[in-house]
Amino acid sequence: MQQPHRVAVYFAPRPQSVWWQAGSQWLGRCAATGAAFELREVPGVSTDLLRDLTAEPRRYGFHATLKPPFRLQQGQKLDDVLQELHRLCGGIAPFTLPPLRVAMLGDFLALRPEGDNRRADDLAARCVTSLQPLAAPLYADELARRRRQPLTPEQDGLLQRWGYPWVLQQFRFHLSLTSSLKACSEAQRAALVHAAEAVFHPLPACSVDSIAVFVEPRPGADFVLADHQALRA
């Protein structure tokens, strides 16, 4: 694989798992194969609106962010990321997430763990800190774009240090199901919640047995699943 524009480190279920299949079908794209799916019907929500609401998470693929997308430092390659993750994964044991429940996170819909999620929080923190030496600093326009949304002093400090404001103590583990629902009516939001609950709540417990690496091949391209590194402590 040629040098990607950006690299992201995620928790993503294995492509053969029911979680990956359910999430990819909900979003309308499989980031492992590139296959597109017809979106499910949601009463009161048009197909065009649902396509718009899932466009952003569809581009990134079904996942929970551990280390947000970053450009590589000059001289670093994707193999360097894989080697660092291989080292990191050697000291982390697989674990099972608390039950994942459909919930609003800010103004968008996501799957959130219900219960003690310290192990996933710790995994994300270790990914952020271990991989930061491989990440290039933000460009000035990237920093300015992030600062267009209101940030607390703590969040701005995290942005400058780690390239993203919602890491470490500001981190909230989640798998995005939509972008902002601000333009939706209360009835449409309720219909989306009900539809997502019907898809995801019957699924079995979700295990974290690996860390996934996704790449953005070129600016603006869909993110693609490139690798899974198994947790093996």
Side-chain angles (χ1 to χ4, degrees), residues 102-138:
V102 176
M104 293 296 296
L105 183 59
D107 60 4
F108 65 94
L109 200 62
L111 290 166
R112 295 275 290 127
E114 187 178 71
D116 184 353
N117 200 46
R118 283 176 291 184
R119 296 192 69 178
D121 292 346
D122 178 67
L123 178 62
R126 293 174 72 171
C127 288
V128 166
T129 56
S130 296
L131 293 168
Q132 188 61 23
L134 304 179
L138 293 176

Side-chain angles (χ1 to χ4, degrees), residues 13-200:
R14 300 276 189 171
Q16 64 272 23
S17 72
V18 294
W19 277 99
W20 176 264
Q21 292 164 17
S24 297
Q25 288 170 358
W26 172 270
L27 297 179
R29 183 178 78 94
C30 174
T33 65
F37 305 110
E38 286 189 18
L39 296 175
R40 66 181 289 113
E41 292 186 6
V42 178
V45 180
S46 71
T47 301
D48 286 344
L49 177 57
L50 186 57
R51 187 176 296 111
D52 288 345
L53 294 174
T54 53
E56 184 175 1
R58 179 165 55 250
R59 180 182 167 234
Y60 286 90
F62 186 61
H63 75 279
T65 299
L66 300 176
K67 169 71 173 168
F70 60 95
R71 288 175 293 101
L72 290 168
Q73 287 266 23
Q74 187 172 5
Q76 301 290 344
K77 295 182 171 54
L78 181 60
D79 281 349
D80 297 311
V81 176
L82 300 182
Q83 289 173 13
E84 177 57 26
L85 282 179
H86 183 78
R87 182 200 65 76
L88 182 66
C89 288
I92 303 172
F95 59 94
T96 300
L97 290 168
L100 292 174
R101 295 289 180 256
V102 176
M104 293 296 296
L105 183 59
D107 60 4
F108 65 94
L109 200 62
L111 290 166
R112 295 275 290 127
E114 187 178 71
D116 184 353
N117 200 46
R118 283 176 291 184
R119 296 192 69 178
D121 292 346
D122 178 67
L123 178 62
R126 293 174 72 171
C127 288
V128 166
T129 56
S130 296
L131 293 168
Q132 188 61 23
L134 304 179
L138 293 176
Y139 293 137
D141 63 329
E142 293 173 321
L143 191 60
R145 179 173 56 84
R146 288 292 180 196
R147 284 172 165 164
R148 288 189 196 124
Q149 54 195 315
L151 297 177
T152 67
E154 179 181 60
Q155 290 166 345
D156 193 72
L158 292 169
L159 173 64
Q160 294 181 68
R161 176 68 181 85
W162 305 107
Y164 199 67
W166 294 284
V167 294
L168 304 179
Q169 61 268 32
Q170 290 287 325
F171 177 71
R172 300 293 182 269
F173 183 94
H174 66 278
L175 296 95
S176 296
L177 300 178
T178 69
S179 56
S180 172
L181 301 183
K182 283 183 178 178
C184 294
S185 67
E186 192 64 37
Q188 288 172 325
R189 286 194 291 270
L192 287 163
V193 168
H194 181 73
E197 288 176 343
V199 170
F200 296 104

Side-chain angles (χ1 to χ4, degrees), residues 210-233:
S210 63
I211 295 175
V213 178
F214 281 51
V215 298
E216 182 185 21
R218 59 193 177 281
D222 289 344
F223 278 72
V224 177
L225 174 63
D227 191 72
H228 269 280
Q229 291 282 334
L231 305 181
R232 57 188 192 281

